[in-house]
Amino acid sequence: MTSTEASTGVPFTLNGEDFEADNGELLIDAAERHGVHIPRFCHHPRMKPVGMCRMCLVEVDTGRGPALQPSCMLPVTPEMKVETESEATKQAQDGVLEFLLANHPLDCPVCDKGGECPLQDNAYAYGPGESRFVEEKRHFEKPIPISDLVHLDRERCILCDRCTRFASEVAGDPLIHFIDRGSQTQVNTFPDHPFSSYFSGNTVQICPVGALTAAPYRFKARPWDLEAVESTSMIDTAGARVVLQSSQDKLVRILGVDSDAVNWSWLSDKDRFIYEANTSENRIVEPRIWSNDTHRSVRWTEATKVAARALRIDPERVAAIGGARLSLESQYAWTKLLKGVIGTDNADAQLGDGIPGALVLGVERATIAHACQPGSVIVLVGPDPKEELPTLYLRLRHAVVEDGVKLVEITPRATSLSELASVRLRATPGTVGQVVNAIVTESFDQPIGGVDGSRLRAAHRLLTSDSPVTMVFGRSNLAESARYIADAVGGIKRLREDAAFLPALRRGNVHGALEMGLTPGFLPGAVRNRRSVFGNWASTPDFEGKDTDGILRAAVAGDIDTLVLLGADPMADFPDRQLAEEALDNVGTIIAVDTFLTESSRRSDIVLPAAMFGEHDGTFLNLERRLSPIRAKVTAPGLCRPDWMIAAELSLAVGPDLGFASLDELRAEMSQVIGSLEDLDWDALASADDGPIIVPRRNWDLEFGDPAALPAVSSYGFRLVVDRKLWDEGTMIQESASLAKLAPRAELRLSPADVQLMELSNQTHVTVDQGEVSFDLPFVADPAVAPRTAWLPARLPGFDVRRLLAAGRSITNVRLRIPDHGESDHDGGSEVRHG
C-alpha cells in the first residue's frame, strides 16, 4: 500500500506548504494545529461556528480561483490552497477591525479585560493602526447587572455571539439574546428574566472583549498582577480542571481549563466564585479549646496534647465523620491514624446521604467520555446532575443533544435532562429497584411504582440494544433508603454484564475518601480489612466499624467517647437533624478539623484549623477514578495547616508516628502500600493534561442481594422527595459574599393534579403532617413533580426539611391538608404539635 493510500487525512496547502487536515476539520482549526494562527472573535472550538465577526477571513482557492472566505465556517477540502498573509487577507482584516472599533470605547486602562483582550491583541497585530471615523461613538447605560454575578457593558460588545451561543447550545439556558436591529443591535436579557444560569461565569471567560465582567472580580486586579497555577476544583466529584489566579497572596479569580476528559473549560458558577470563602473574616485561623463556656485560642502543642488524650482510648469508642474535602494524601494520613494507629474502623466520609462504600468501590467504573460516546445509552438513576454535578450535566447534555446518545431517566421527579430523555420513568419513591427489576424480567403487564408497561418496554428495548450502556447512579431522594438505588444497580448489572457505572456522589473528593479507606470495612486501595498486616502499618482494626448513621446512634447510646469531625457538619448535613443533635450532645469529646465554625464545630471541645482549597498541595480523585493535581496558590492564614500534617502531629502525640514528615515521603508510602499507585509518577501528574485513571486491586467481589420488597403505599399520604439545589445554605456558599444570597426560599412543590384534587388553588400554604409534628409551608404547583409525591429540597432558607426525616426509615410519607388558620401563623415553617 502506498503512503497516499494509507493516509486518512485531507491534503491541503497553507501559505505554500503542504499539510493534512482531519476529515471534516474546519480550516481555522487545521491551521492552528499546524502552527498558523488565524485571528478570530466569534470562533470557539467547543461551540458551533457561526461566522459572525468575519475576522477570520482568509484567501482560499478551491479550484475556481482565490476568494476571501471565513475560515471558521469552511471545512478543509482536498487540494485546497490557503493564504493567510496575502494582501487581500490583510486588507480584509484591517477593514473588519476598523468597523469593530468604530463604536468600541477606548477605555482599555480601566477595562477588566485590558491586558488579556483578543480585540487589543488583534488590533495591534492585524489592525490598520488608525481609524477614519471621527463621529462620536454610541453610548449606553453601563454597566447593567444582568445577574447577581455578571455585569454587561453594551458599548464594548462586538456582537460575536459567543455568550448567546453558550447559553443556548451548551448550558441550555437561553436567557441572553440579541435584541433590537441595525446599529442598535445589542446583547441583553429580556425584562424580568435575569441571566440566572448556573453557568453564567463561562460567558465572562469566553467574551473576547470586556462586555461581560464578573462582579466578584470586577476591578480587583489587573492581568499583569496575577500569578497563576493549574489545579482541580474540589466543589463536587467531577473534578473540573481550573486555573487559580492570585494577587497579593489572595485568590481573586478561577478560570476553567479545557480538559478534554472532564470539563471542556466549562465551570459552574459555584466552582468559579467559591474562592471568596478563602478570605472570609470567619475563617478559623488558630487552634481552640473549649474552656469556661467558650472557645479560647491555644498553641498547636497544647491542642494536640489535649486531642491525643481523647484519642488514646478503646478504639471501638472512637469515631470519625467526614473527609470528603481533604486531598488524597490527607485522606490516607487520616485513615492510617484512625485505622493503623488508633485502631478504630468507625470512619465514614458520606454523612448518610451517599451510597454504600462497597457498592461505589465495587462497580466497573466508566469514564465520562465512555458514557458520552456517540450512539450509547445512559441510564440516570440519581439526582438532577445540573443541581449536584453541573460539570457532568454539561457533558451529558452535549452527548444527548449533539452525539445521539439515548437517555433513560428513572427518577422520582423530572430533572434538567428530562426533556431530552428518550424514556422517562417517574418511579414512586422507594420503587426504583422494583422498576428496574421489572425492566430486567420483562414484567410489562401491570404498572410498577407508577410506571406503565409501555414505558418499561421502551426502556427494555434501549437497554438490550447493541449500544454501550452506562448507568449514572446516586441518591435522588434523601427521604428514602439507599438500598433501593443499590437494587437498581444490581438490576442493570444482571441485564447487561458489560454495563459500566458512574457513581453520582456530590461531596468533593469523596471518591478519594472511599479509595483511601474512610469508610467502614476498608483500607486504602479499596482493600477489605482482613485484620492482617497492611504495608508498614502497626496494626489494622479488629472489628467491623459503623457508618455515619451507626456512629451517631452509638453516640446517643453512650458508646462513642471521642468523635472526630473532618470538615463535616452533621448538624447541618446529616439527613436526620434530631439524631445528629442528640449524638453531638452525648459525645464526651468532639475534635473538629475545619475551616469555619459550623453548627457542629461550635459544639466541639477542640478545634484544629485546616488549610483550604488553593492553600495546600495534593491530589484529587474524581468520579471516574481519574487523578488530578490540587495545587497551592496562596498562603494559608494564621496557623492553618494541611490536614495530613494535622494527622501527623496527632499521631506523634498519640504514638506511634505515622512515618512521614513531608508530602513526598507521604506519597512514597502511598505508592508502596497501595497497588494501584505503585507506578504513579507524582511529579508528572502535576503537568498531565487529563490525569491517569487508577484501577484498584480489590481482594473481594461485589455481591447483590434480591431487590427489597415494594414499600406499602398509603392511600392518603404523599411520598416525600428531598434532594439538593446548587445554591443552598452550605457553609462555603454562605461564606462567599457573592453567592450567599442566591439560595431560593424553601417551598413545597406538588403536582398540579394534586393541587386541583385537594382544592388548594386558592391557598398559598399547605400543612404538612409527619407523625406528631406538622408545619405550614408555602407551596407551588410544579409539573416536574409526580402525582402523590411532594418535593422539598434540603438546606434552603425558610425551612429545614430534615425535621420531617428520620434515619433508618425506608421511605417518608407525609400528609397534606388545607391549613387551619386557628392553629398556626403560616410563616413558612411554624411547628404545630398535636396531643
Side-chain angles (χ1 to χ4, degrees):
M1 180 179 292
T2 68
S3 59
T4 303
E5 292 172 330
S7 173
T8 58
V10 180
F12 75 109
T13 302
L14 178 62
N15 294 336
E17 296 187 41
D18 293 333
F19 295 106
E20 279 194 354
D22 297 331
N23 287 317
E25 188 174 18
L26 294 174
L27 175 56
I28 194 171
D29 295 327
E32 189 84 13
R33 191 162 54 82
H34 291 297
V36 177
H37 175 74
I38 299 175
R40 78 292 302 267
F41 293 115
C42 67
H43 177 70
H44 191 284
R46 295 296 185 185
M47 294 189 289
K48 294 177 182 176
V50 290
M52 289 285 290
C53 71
R54 289 324 207 209
M55 188 66 215
C56 67
L57 287 173
V58 293
E59 205 168 20
V60 179
D61 184 355
T62 58
R64 296 183 178 181
L68 290 172
Q69 298 193 48
S71 58
C72 73
M73 298 285 290
L74 192 65
V76 178
T77 57
E79 310 307 328
M80 174 185 284
K81 294 180 174 59
V82 181
E83 291 291 338
T84 67
E85 299 176 358
S86 67
E87 282 302 315
T89 299
K90 292 179 180 179
Q91 287 181 9
Q93 293 168 348
D94 280 357
V96 169
L97 283 165
E98 188 174 15
F99 275 114
L100 290 179
L101 293 172
N103 273 307
H104 193 85
L106 300 180
D107 59 351
C108 302
V110 297
C111 177
D112 266 347
K113 201 73 173 182
E116 56 182 9
C117 174
L119 181 57
Q120 269 186 332
D121 296 339
N122 286 337
Y124 278 114
Y126 304 97
E130 60 182 352
S131 175
R132 291 171 288 178
F133 291 95
V134 295
E135 295 79 11
E136 184 177 358
K137 297 175 184 290
R138 65 183 177 184
H139 301 286
F140 291 104
E141 177 188 351
K142 54 187 288 188
I144 297 175
I146 58 174
S147 76
D148 293 294
L149 300 172
V150 177
H151 290 182
L152 170 64
D153 188 329
R154 291 170 292 173
E155 293 177 354
R156 297 176 183 153
C157 180
I158 60 171
L159 305 180
C160 70
D161 202 23
R162 278 191 174 191
C163 58
T164 56
R165 278 184 292 152
F166 172 84
S168 60
E169 291 179 16
V170 180
D173 297 326
L175 300 171
I176 185 170
H177 315 262
F178 286 128
I179 63 174
D180 295 336
R181 294 184 177 186
S183 63
Q184 295 301 309
T185 303
Q186 57 180 291
V187 166
N188 212 326
T189 58
F190 287 108
D192 302 322
H193 288 83
F195 190 29
S196 54
S197 170
Y198 288 164
F199 310 98
S200 63
N202 293 285
T203 63
V204 176
Q205 180 171 337
I206 65 177
C207 179
V209 291
L212 294 171
T213 55
Y217 175 71
R218 192 174 173 84
F219 304 134
K220 291 294 193 303
R222 310 303 293 165
W224 49 86
D225 295 329
L226 300 178
E227 297 177 348
V229 67
E230 284 197 21
S231 187
T232 305
S233 174
M234 299 183 69
I235 290 302
D236 59 45
T237 57
R241 296 297 294 272
V242 296
V243 169
L244 307 181
Q245 295 183 332
S246 68
S247 177
Q248 300 181 27
D249 204 28
K250 291 183 179 179
L251 288 178
V252 295
R253 188 166 64 171
I254 294 180
L255 300 177
V257 172
D258 195 342
S259 168
D260 191 63
V262 185
N263 60 304
W264 288 6
S265 81
W266 312 131
L267 298 178
S268 73
D269 288 348
K270 189 174 181 181
D271 290 288
R272 189 177 298 275
F273 300 118
I274 202 72
Y275 68 84
E276 290 184 308
N278 287 60
T279 54
S280 169
E281 60 183 12
N282 297 322
R283 284 287 300 271
I284 303 171
V285 296
E286 53 192 358
R288 302 180 182 183
I289 291 179
W290 184 260
S291 177
N292 298 324
D293 296 327
T294 187
H295 279 118
R296 64 180 178 88
S297 299
V298 298
R299 296 184 176 183
W300 268 103
T301 52
E302 181 179 351
T304 53
K305 185 183 299 183
V306 175
R309 285 200 298 267
L311 294 169
R312 206 179 292 117
I313 59 174
D314 180 358
E316 293 196 43
R317 304 186 70 84
V318 178
I321 298 175
R325 69 158 180 79
L326 278 58
S327 68
L328 206 66
E329 293 84 352
S330 292
Q331 290 162 346
Y332 175 85
W334 271 99
T335 300
K336 185 175 182 181
L337 170 61
L338 293 166
K339 299 190 175 186
V341 175
I342 298 171
T344 183
D345 193 45
N346 298 321
D348 184 26
Q350 296 203 70
L351 273 79
D353 62 1
I355 300 293
L359 177 61
V360 178
L361 293 171
V363 294
E364 293 80 2
R365 202 71 62 91
T367 64
I368 297 174
H370 172 84
C372 297
Q373 62 183 303
S376 64
V377 176
I378 296 174
V379 186
L380 175 61
V381 181
D384 186 340
K386 189 174 185 179
E387 301 289 350
E388 300 197 18
L389 292 166
T391 303
L392 178 62
Y393 162 78
L394 293 182
R395 293 294 306 274
L396 296 179
R397 184 181 186 279
H398 182 275
V400 175
V401 173
E402 303 293 342
D403 296 331
V405 171
K406 303 297 183 182
L407 176 65
V408 177
E409 186 181 74
I410 312 175
T411 56
R413 70 168 184 88
T415 74
S416 302
L417 292 170
S418 294
E419 292 184 357
L420 304 176
S422 299
V423 181
R424 296 182 290 274
L425 310 181
R426 291 290 158 265
T428 305
T431 67
V432 63
Q434 295 290 337
V435 168
V436 172
N437 187 60
I439 296 172
V440 174
T441 58
E442 302 183 48
S443 303
F444 309 140
D445 297 334
Q446 58 184 358
I448 299 292
V451 180
D452 61 60
S454 62
R455 292 180 181 271
L456 295 172
R457 186 177 287 105
H460 183 271
R461 282 197 298 268
L462 279 178
L463 296 178
T464 55
S465 66
D466 294 333
S467 301
V469 172
T470 300
M471 183 180 190
V472 179
F473 69 94
R475 289 291 288 279
S476 56
N477 184 8
L478 303 183
E480 66 179 357
S481 170
R483 167 67 191 276
Y484 304 124
I485 303 298
D487 290 343
V489 173
I492 295 297
K493 186 64 179 174
R494 290 196 303 275
L495 182 66
R496 289 290 297 262
E497 276 291 331
D498 60 341
F501 299 86
L502 273 176
L505 305 182
R506 60 180 290 272
R507 294 185 179 278
N509 198 17
V510 68
H511 288 286
L514 298 179
E515 294 284 346
M516 292 300 105
L518 285 175
T519 189
F522 287 89
L523 297 172
V527 173
R528 279 283 193 186
N529 178 17
R530 299 298 188 190
R531 302 179 180 85
S532 60
V533 175
F534 183 77
N536 62 352
W537 290 24
S539 62
T540 57
D542 58 4
F543 66 96
E544 184 76 19
K546 301 176 177 62
D547 61 8
T548 301
D549 183 29
I551 290 170
L552 296 178
R553 291 182 185 278
V556 171
D559 296 331
I560 299 294
D561 291 331
T562 300
L563 178 63
V564 180
L565 301 177
L566 295 175
D569 185 7
M571 286 281 293
D573 275 348
F574 186 69
D576 188 338
R577 179 185 172 88
Q578 182 176 352
L579 176 60
E581 189 170 0
E582 292 177 4
L584 267 59
D585 285 342
N586 210 39
V587 171
T589 302
I590 300 175
I591 303 171
V593 183
D594 216 327
T595 55
F596 297 97
L597 280 180
T598 63
E599 284 190 80
S600 301
S601 58
R602 285 191 181 93
R603 295 168 176 250
S604 62
D605 301 277
I606 306 158
V607 181
L608 304 178
M612 286 180 67
F613 165 73
E615 299 170 354
H616 62 87
D617 289 331
T619 310
F620 186 91
L621 188 71
N622 81 345
L623 75 172
E624 309 166 288
R625 290 200 182 102
R626 185 182 302 279
L627 291 170
S628 56
I630 302 168
R631 301 290 297 279
K633 187 66 213 67
V634 296
T635 306
L639 301 178
C640 297
R641 294 181 177 180
D643 293 273
W644 72 264
M645 194 176 294
I646 297 174
E649 288 281 341
L650 286 174
S651 182
L652 190 62
V654 173
D657 181 20
L658 289 183
F660 41 77
S662 69
L663 198 62
D664 288 339
E665 293 177 358
L666 169 53
R667 287 171 169 172
E669 179 173 318
M670 291 172 66
S671 295
Q672 180 182 0
V673 303
I674 301 175
S676 57
L677 301 180
E678 64 180 2
D679 297 323
L680 180 64
D681 186 339
W682 295 90
D683 294 330
L685 181 63
S687 58
D689 290 337
D690 294 320
I693 299 285
I694 67 166
V695 180
R697 302 176 183 178
R698 297 192 297 265
N699 63 342
W700 53 281
D701 294 321
L702 180 63
E703 297 179 357
F704 294 99
D706 295 329
L710 196 66
V713 179
S714 170
S715 60
Y716 57 83
F718 284 70
R719 294 199 171 181
L720 191 61
V721 177
V722 178
D723 56 11
R724 307 273 188 174
K725 301 285 285 183
L726 185 70
W727 304 130
D728 59 14
E729 292 192 307
T731 301
M732 291 286 285
I733 291 177
Q734 294 306 305
E735 295 297 340
S736 301
S738 300
L739 309 181
K741 297 180 180 180
L742 298 181
R745 297 284 295 178
E747 56 185 10
L748 196 71
R749 292 182 175 266
L750 303 172
S751 163
D754 289 328
V755 171
Q756 183 177 5
L757 184 65
M758 295 182 65
E759 300 181 349
L760 293 171
S761 301
N762 296 325
Q763 302 289 326
T764 59
H765 287 65
V766 65
T767 296
V768 182
D769 290 326
Q770 170 42 243
E772 297 181 350
V773 179
S774 67
F775 299 92
D776 276 5
L777 288 171
F779 77 93
V780 294
D782 188 343
V785 182
R788 309 305 295 175
T789 63
W791 171 36
L792 183 61
R795 295 209 72 177
L796 295 184
F799 180 71
D800 188 350
V801 68
R802 294 176 305 147
R803 301 180 192 182
L804 305 174
L805 305 182
R809 188 183 291 161
S810 61
I811 58 171
T812 300
N813 282 321
V814 296
R815 293 188 64 183
L816 306 181
R817 55 185 172 83
I818 296 176
D820 182 346
H821 293 270
E823 288 190 28
S824 63
D825 55 7
H826 308 297
D827 64 354
S830 56
E831 181 173 345
V832 184
R833 294 188 178 273
H834 302 277

